[in-house]
Amino acid sequence: MLRWLDVVTFARYGNPEPPRRVEKSAAEWAQLLPPEQFRVLREQATEPPYRNAYCRAYEPGEYVCAGCGSLLFSAATKYHAISGWPSFTQPAHKNAIWYRFDHSHHMQRVEVRCNVCQGHLGHVFADGPAPGGLRYCINSASLRLVAPEQEDAKSAVSLGVGSAPPQSE
């Protein structure tokens, strides 16, 4: 379980190695992503609070990066933080997230990005619930929820059974 000291250590001294890397030019990302996702993921924009896809959604599944499809968070770690954006207590795994200090807008925060494609996700704060005390405040536009039945279908396809459901974005 990650704690605030781990987050600060990563931001200050270096992040864990990602499982893979996805690198594209700004023009390639602009062709692949809808405008709102491009603004958030590639230009570090923030979507309006409470008017986003996953703020009030609590379905089971896994949240993946809307840019590269890398696993970021489990729905089991999502909680109602009353922040206006989806909030999580922990990333899916230690090297899912990339951290850096962010001193913009006259604030001191830690920005979080997808560790695979460097897409902007949001910020992490030290005011989350016990035991870890973390609150990952994430833009819905940077996420895609993969439902458990989609995960089962993807596993069946990789084993040569059935076909994958169409992906909607």
Side-chain angles (χ1 to χ4, degrees), residues 1-12 89-90 99-102 108-112 123-129 131-136:
M1 170 183 311
L2 292 177
R3 298 188 184 277
W4 185 247
L5 180 59
D6 301 313
V7 167
V8 170
T9 300
F10 289 147
R12 182 168 289 140
T89 59
Q90 291 287 310
Y99 304 87
R100 84 167 179 94
F101 291 113
D102 175 5
Q108 293 184 5
R109 308 177 287 181
V110 175
E111 178 190 9
V112 293
H123 293 86
V124 62
F125 301 95
D127 61 1
L134 298 178
R135 175 175 57 95
Y136 289 82

Side-chain angles (χ1 to χ4, degrees), residues 17-101:
E17 277 298 310
R20 63 188 174 95
R21 293 195 191 280
V22 173
E23 296 178 4
K24 297 185 183 308
S25 69
E28 290 172 311
W29 283 117
Q31 286 183 327
L32 290 171
L33 298 170
E36 180 66 8
Q37 285 182 331
F38 181 80
R39 275 184 359 88
V40 170
L41 284 166
R42 309 316 311 173
E43 297 177 336
Q44 293 75 46
T46 300
E47 63 194 1
Y50 300 105
R51 293 179 291 174
N52 52 69
Y54 300 124
C55 178
R56 294 182 181 95
Y58 292 96
E59 291 83 14
E62 294 180 330
Y63 288 89
V64 299
C65 175
C68 69
S70 296
L71 176 60
L72 299 172
F73 300 99
S74 167
T77 65
K78 189 171 187 288
Y79 74 104
H80 185 63
I82 315 173
S83 68
W85 294 274
S87 296
F88 301 87
T89 59
Q90 291 287 310
H93 49 88
K94 179 181 174 179
N95 62 346
I97 305 295
W98 181 89
Y99 304 87
R100 84 167 179 94
F101 291 113

Side-chain angles (χ1 to χ4, degrees), residues 118-147:
Q118 291 296 302
H120 172 75
L121 304 173
H123 293 86
V124 62
F125 301 95
D127 61 1
L134 298 178
R135 175 175 57 95
Y136 289 82
C137 186
I138 307 297
N139 289 286
S140 287
S142 63
L143 301 172
R144 184 169 48 86
L145 177 62
V146 179

